[in-house]
Amino acid sequence: MSRATTENRPKLVSAGLLLIWLSGCDLLHKESAPAPTPAKPEASDSAPSASVAPPPPPPPDSTPKGDGVSKTAKASDKALGCNPTEFELASYLLRGELTLAGRPAAKPEEGEFAASWLVQLPGKAQIAFAGFDHKSRRLARDRSIGNAREHAPKLFATGDRWTVAWFDDEGLAYAHPTWETNPAPELSHFSAIKSVEPKQITFSKLDAGFLVSSPFGTNGDQVSLFRFTPTVDGQKATAVGVTKDAKSPQKPVVAPTKSGFTLAWFEAGGVIVGTRLDATGTQVGVSAPLVTPGEGRDVSSLSLTALPNDSLMVWVEGERIVGRLVDEQARAKGDVFVIGKGRYPQVLADGDSVIVVFVGPADEEKDAVLATRVSAAGASSEAVRLNAKPALDPPAVALANGRLAFAWTEAMGPAIASKRAWLRIIDKACVK
């Protein structure tokens, strides 16, 4: 999308975004207002006020339990029945961030996938987009849909359209690309989210649209939540709510629940804290530790994914990828358990379980792309290996009907600094 196209957007869109921003700021200021100081009791033996919330319960033991993945099998092994197909997604990349999304096609047994990635060029970066069917055959050639800052895009299938979100000089940008190259997709902005570091902003999928959680609008001391939903004219942004008692939150994540939203974030000392917002965006109760203090935790790895009854929190602890269930009240549930050895976990919901894709050791290769399944009962001991050469960056994963798509980068050669990206699609049933 050219600069000229961006500047010629209808003024109605800008006015609408301004109204959204004003209402969002009003909500954030209301939610951020300090609570009245309770009156002191008249006597030292007075009963505590009924209005004072009880202290949060301490989390269970946070020592990881179990071994996680101990057995791997190659997706290319015919005996496994994965029916793999693949495509060279891109080459000569200087950056390795990739994102995938999937949606059903006209035939139930088929599906479509889209991919988006950051193309770093001298002095600027662009957002690329391409499409594929369930057998890795190209549906739409890769093309640029907009300029970017140095921040990877996020891709969603929202209803019957694709939505790509990223950051440029005007703030949070988003567009709805199609398989057809003309007309070019209209680029819109939510300029209110502009001054927050992109690494402090996370995106979460909704059935229609997506959520954005960040410390935006709170002087960095609380977590704010916005909802983006498709409309006839594009994407509507709505301020949902803000927390009240976070302490310098880092990398906040969110998962929708039956009655609202569960949020989690890092605080000082490696503590992971969680809280609950109801459907109106009001915080319910007080925030509580989900994982006790610890060292070696990778802030950037934290994710939260909704299951039918709970949410699954996943993060990196030293050389291991671990998880813990979080209940509807945003409280820790059960032990911290090991998913596998490795880094870069990416989590995809699949009914009553999730697919966790990460980079870790497998046989003779220490940087294999591995996919395993995790449910409320715990982690599987088996994983499917997708790649043949060492992976360099976080992988991506998407689901459409019964097919799973994966993407990752690898070195183009020993004397070439740039990267090659691969797409591989397999049957979902292969990941057990």
Side-chain angles (χ1 to χ4, degrees):
M1 180 67 61
S2 66
R3 178 71 180 181
T5 305
T6 302
E7 293 177 346
N8 291 332
R9 289 172 298 170
K11 294 184 178 179
L12 179 60
V13 175
S14 299
L17 287 176
L18 178 60
L19 289 175
I20 291 168
W21 162 227
L22 291 175
S23 62
C25 281
D26 183 60
L27 173 60
L28 290 172
H29 286 309
K30 289 179 181 178
E31 293 290 346
S32 299
T37 303
K40 295 182 180 180
E42 296 181 1
S44 61
D45 59 348
S46 298
S49 171
S51 64
V52 177
D61 176 28
S62 297
T63 304
K65 307 292 196 303
D67 299 318
V69 171
S70 59
K71 179 182 178 182
T72 62
K74 296 179 180 179
S76 58
D77 186 348
K78 292 184 178 180
L80 204 58
C82 289
N83 298 316
T85 58
E86 64 183 33
F87 187 88
E88 184 177 323
L89 189 61
S91 57
Y92 296 101
L93 295 177
L94 299 180
R95 299 285 293 268
E97 301 93 336
L98 304 164
T99 180
L100 295 173
R103 67 182 182 189
K107 296 182 179 180
E109 70 276 10
E110 297 179 358
E112 297 177 339
F113 295 95
S116 186
W117 61 95
L118 187 70
V119 179
Q120 186 69 55
L121 300 171
K124 64 177 181 178
Q126 293 183 335
I127 300 298
F129 175 81
F132 305 88
D133 71 5
H134 66 294
K135 292 186 178 180
S136 303
R137 295 174 297 205
R138 190 195 292 271
L139 292 173
R141 289 188 173 277
D142 53 313
R143 61 187 184 275
S144 173
I145 59 173
N147 295 324
R149 283 156 46 186
E150 293 188 7
H151 185 269
K154 190 67 177 180
L155 174 63
F156 302 96
T158 51
D160 61 350
R161 65 176 70 183
W162 305 106
T163 298
V164 184
W166 71 96
F167 286 88
D168 63 14
D169 291 337
E170 297 185 43
L172 176 61
Y174 48 95
H176 302 294
T178 62
W179 296 152
E180 298 78 18
T181 56
N182 291 307
E186 180 180 349
L187 180 62
S188 300
H189 284 88
F190 186 50
S191 300
I193 299 183
K194 185 175 181 179
S195 59
V196 182
E197 288 187 74
K199 67 180 181 180
Q200 292 295 341
I201 296 174
T202 57
F203 299 88
S204 301
K205 177 75 169 64
L206 287 172
D207 290 338
F210 58 95
L211 295 166
V212 176
S213 51
S214 79
F216 161 72
T218 65
N219 296 318
D221 58 351
Q222 299 298 328
V223 178
S224 58
L225 183 63
F226 287 83
R227 178 193 289 114
F228 287 71
T229 52
T231 66
V232 174
D233 299 324
Q235 203 88 8
K236 180 181 179 182
T238 306
V240 176
V242 66
T243 62
K244 298 178 180 179
D245 54 5
K247 298 176 181 178
S248 300
Q250 300 290 309
K251 214 305 190 146
V253 293
V254 61
T257 66
K258 297 174 183 177
S259 58
F261 309 91
T262 296
L263 288 90
W265 60 87
F266 273 94
E267 290 187 357
V271 180
I272 303 178
V273 180
T275 199
R276 175 183 168 227
L277 303 184
D278 65 17
T280 69
T282 302
Q283 182 174 333
V284 180
V286 295
S287 301
L290 300 173
V291 181
T292 51
E295 297 180 357
R297 292 176 181 160
D298 179 8
V299 175
S300 65
S301 68
L302 185 64
S303 67
L304 194 64
T305 307
L307 292 171
N309 297 313
D310 303 302
S311 298
L312 175 66
M313 188 169 59
V314 174
W315 70 98
V316 171
E317 188 122 329
E319 296 182 350
R320 296 178 297 184
I321 298 167
V322 298
R324 168 168 264 171
L325 292 176
V326 180
D327 67 18
E328 279 274 335
Q329 304 305 314
R331 298 296 186 250
K333 182 177 180 180
D335 291 325
V336 175
F337 56 88
V338 177
I339 296 172
K341 292 184 65 176
R343 62 193 189 283
Y344 304 147
Q346 309 296 314
V347 185
L348 174 70
D350 181 27
D352 59 357
S353 63
V354 302
I355 308 294
V356 179
V357 184
F358 59 98
V359 175
D363 300 323
E364 73 286 352
E365 179 54 63
K366 66 176 183 178
D367 294 320
V369 178
L370 303 173
T372 189
R373 191 174 292 274
V374 179
S375 68
S380 171
S381 61
E382 301 180 15
V384 175
R385 176 179 173 180
L386 283 307
N387 61 330
K389 297 181 179 180
L392 299 177
D393 300 287
V397 59
L399 174 65
N401 298 119
R403 297 280 280 176
L404 280 168
F406 304 88
W408 66 90
T409 61
E410 62 184 39
M412 293 194 65
I416 304 177
S418 54
K419 306 173 183 182
R420 175 183 286 111
W422 285 98
L423 172 74
R424 173 165 279 194
I425 303 177
I426 66 172
D427 288 348
K428 181 182 74 172
C430 279
V431 183
K432 299 182 173 57

